Every structure is written in structure tokens, then in C-alpha cells.
Amino acid sequence: MSDRIEWFAELDSTMLEARRDPRPGRVIVADRQTAGMGRHGRAWLSPAGEGLYVTLVLDVTPAPVLSLALGLATVAAIGAGDLRWPNDVLLSGRKVAGVLAQSEQNRLIAGIGINVLQREFPEGLDTPATSLAIEGIETTREALLERLIEAVDRMVALPPAELIARFSAASSMVSGKRVRVEGIEGVTCGLDAAGFLRVREDNGTERTILAGGVRPV
């Protein structure tokens, strides 16, 4: 798999590099990003040599459920983690990894950031952060990348129903959890057939959440 990897010392963003040249099979990694991209326009902190910042160009038809596949692949590569819908990975209740999925020329651009060696983070983050090093998980970025590539290839090949079942089993938040998301508060009641989150409000109304940051109440 190493022949698929393009490793840069610095990029503005691995996502932007993939969008500039979305050839299927590209695996773009940067030691440092100057404009790392998170979900909903947020920045992804990318200090040099401390995290795994990677984007894969996948020759698959983009679909919402594939975001779940990327989250599952990230957990598989790390070997631990709780999935917060749609694709944040938490350890000890703190964010250790995130996924950003975008469509480009009918291909899936899959950006994944994993905090590996960081020992401290800025205050005021939207979600408190952690790293594999802080959590006592020892690995190298290179070994983690190899596991991640293999897991992504495996997960995106699964049928949607299996992805939804696996994600539901790997997440403490998709069922029976009181949450707030996009101004809606209620109890999660699973995923629909497309992988979107269902939330039941206190008045009994069931809402389908298409996007947003889910937070426990």
C-alpha cells in the first residue's frame, strides 16, 4: 500500500491538494498543514509531526453512509474509540480524531485527522481534545497510516445496512442518549437507512438530523 502514499512536509491542506487533483487512489499525507480543514468550516490544528493528517481519493459514488464507514475505519486503525455521529472519534470523552467527507468529480474525498503525539491543546476548543499519546496508545504515524488505509478500503466496500449496524454498535450516542443538535433537544433513537441520526423530542416528534454537531445534554 505504501506506493499509494504521497507524503509532504507541508501543505495548506491535504483536502485542498486532493481537490486540486482528485485522481482515484491518491493518499495524501502532510507532516504539517497551514490551513487544515475540519467540519462546518472549522480549522483542524495540525502541528508539525504530531498528528496524522491524511486525505484519500476514493473511486466510489459519494453517499452519506460512507461518512460512517470512514469513522469506523478510523476506530479500527486506532484500535479503540467511541463514535460520535457522524464521524468524530472520542477517547475518554475527548476528541482524538475527525473525518471530513466531500464529493469531487463523483469521487469521495475522505479527510481524516488523528491526534497522535500531542501532549497539550489550546483552551476553548469546541470539544475537549486528546491524543493517542495522552491516552497511552503507542504507535507511529506510519504504522497508523497503513492500518487506516487498509481499514478504509475494507469499510467502504461494506453494504449500507452493515455500516449502519456496525456504527450503531460502536457509538454510545446513536440510541438512548439525550443530546442537543442544531437547536433540537431530545433522545437519540438510531440511524435511518441513509445513516442519518434520528432524535425524538420530548413532545414525541421524531426529527431526522442531516448534519450538525451532536452534544450530550
Side-chain angles (χ1 to χ4, degrees):
M1 286 180 284
S2 59
D3 59 344
R4 297 169 54 184
I5 299 169
E6 304 171 42
W7 201 306
F8 296 84
E10 181 177 290
L11 283 173
D12 49 1
S13 161
T14 59
M15 289 290 290
L16 292 175
E17 171 60 25
R19 287 163 57 184
R20 286 189 285 262
D21 182 7
R23 283 178 287 119
R26 293 188 79 194
V27 179
I28 302 157
V29 189
D31 282 324
R32 176 176 181 266
Q33 296 181 113
T34 58
M37 298 170 60
R39 297 179 66 242
H40 306 298
R42 299 186 182 98
W44 185 269
L45 297 176
S46 309
E50 295 191 354
L52 180 60
Y53 321 120
V54 56
T55 295
L56 302 90
V57 182
L58 304 175
D59 195 14
V60 296
T61 301
V65 73
L66 291 179
S67 287
L68 308 186
L70 301 176
L72 284 165
T74 305
V75 168
I78 293 171
D82 181 17
L83 283 163
R84 181 174 65 189
W85 184 90
N87 42 33
D88 286 341
V89 180
L90 308 181
L91 289 173
S92 304
R94 295 172 177 266
K95 186 171 177 177
V96 72
V99 171
L100 179 61
Q102 296 181 346
S103 175
E104 188 75 25
Q105 298 181 17
N106 207 34
R107 294 163 186 152
L108 184 68
I109 307 298
I112 301 173
I114 304 175
N115 299 329
V116 181
L117 300 174
Q118 292 94 329
R119 286 291 179 179
E120 57 185 33
F121 295 91
E123 295 183 2
L125 295 176
D126 182 61
T127 299
T130 190
S131 70
L132 301 187
I134 290 172
E135 300 298 327
I137 299 175
E138 296 184 3
T139 188
T140 65
R141 292 181 300 150
E142 292 79 6
L144 183 62
L145 176 61
E146 290 287 346
R147 294 196 300 272
L148 182 63
I149 293 170
E150 186 277 330
V152 168
D153 287 344
R154 177 162 41 89
M155 293 296 176
V156 298
L158 294 176
E162 183 162 352
L163 287 173
I164 289 168
R166 289 193 182 204
F167 192 96
S168 299
S171 173
S172 67
M173 291 193 181
V174 300
S175 185
K177 191 83 168 183
R178 189 164 191 86
V179 300
R180 183 180 294 113
V181 54
E182 298 301 298
I184 296 169
E185 184 173 323
V187 176
T188 57
C189 47
L191 304 175
D192 70 8
F196 295 122
L197 183 67
R198 294 180 294 125
V199 175
R200 184 176 295 112
E201 297 181 273
D202 292 340
N203 63 8
T205 301
E206 189 173 294
R207 305 287 188 120
T208 299
I209 308 300
L210 304 182
V214 177
R215 298 294 182 269
V217 177

